[in-house]
Amino acid sequence: MSKIAIKTENLGKMYKLYKSQKDKIMDVFGLNVFKKNYYQEFWALRNIDVQVRKGERIGIVGRNGAGKSTLLKTIIGNITPTEGNVIINGKVQALMELGTGFHPEFTGIENIRASLAYQGLTRKEIAYKENEIIDFAE
C-alpha cells in the first residue's frame, strides 16, 4: 500500500477566454479551424507538483484568483486538468466552502455524523472517525 495519498505531477489547467459568445459556440463544434486568435489562454494552474502522505494535513493559502479552488477541484476530479497527472490512493473528499453540506439545525457532532453517514461509513467507523475530526477542528 502506498504511503502517498495525493500526488500531482506537472499539473496545469488552462481556460479559454473567448472574445465573443459566438466564438465559444464555434469552438465547441470545431468550426473555428481557420480563425486565429479567437480566444486568449488563461492558465489557472501551471507546473504544480504536490505530494501529500497518508495522515498529513496541508493548508493551501493564496490571494483571490491564485488557483486554490481550481487545484482542489482538479484533485477531487470535478475539473479535468489540461496537462499533467493527479494520482489518488484512497478516497478524497473536499469541503470547498465553509458551511457546505452542513445542516444549520444540527449540532456540530450531528453534522459530523451525518456527513460520515452520507459517505457510507458504518456506525463503528463513524464513532472512530468522530474524535479524529473533533481533534482536527479543535
Side-chain angles (χ1 to χ4, degrees):
M1 186 173 204
S2 175
K3 293 184 180 193
I4 304 299
I6 300 168
K7 184 176 182 178
T8 67
E9 301 170 325
N10 197 35
L11 187 64
K13 178 61 182 174
M14 186 267 292
Y15 292 98
K16 294 179 179 180
L17 304 178
Y18 295 92
K19 294 181 180 179
S20 72
Q21 188 68 21
K22 179 184 172 189
D23 285 334
K24 183 176 184 177
I25 293 168
M26 298 285 280
D27 191 37
V28 168
F29 292 106
L31 302 174
N32 278 339
V33 178
F34 299 107
K35 189 174 181 182
K36 293 184 181 182
N37 301 323
Y38 61 94
Y39 69 87
Q40 181 180 9
E41 288 185 359
F42 172 75
W43 286 91
L45 302 173
R46 199 84 195 260
N47 302 319
I48 305 295
D49 294 317
V50 174
Q51 187 170 295
V52 181
R53 289 180 175 80
K54 291 186 187 283
E56 286 184 332
R57 297 177 181 134
I58 65 167
I60 301 171
V61 180
R63 69 186 195 297
N64 287 344
K68 302 177 298 291
S69 293
T70 302
L71 175 60
L72 290 174
K73 289 175 183 179
T74 304
I75 289 171
I76 64 172
N78 286 0
I79 295 175
T80 303
T82 305
E83 61 186 17
N85 298 305
V86 177
I87 301 161
I88 304 294
N89 293 310
K91 293 182 182 178
V92 175
Q93 183 179 11
L95 180 61
M96 295 302 294
E97 297 179 24
L98 188 59
T100 299
F102 287 92
H103 192 289
E105 295 178 14
F106 286 2
T107 66
I109 290 175
E110 288 170 333
N111 271 301
I112 290 169
R113 290 174 182 160
S115 177
L116 294 173
Y118 295 147
Q119 294 177 50
L121 274 70
T122 65
R123 287 183 185 195
K124 185 176 180 180
E125 291 169 322
I126 290 170
Y128 176 77
K129 292 280 187 182
E130 186 178 297
N131 289 328
E132 184 180 332
I133 292 167
I134 292 168
D135 289 343
F136 174 74
E138 297 179 347

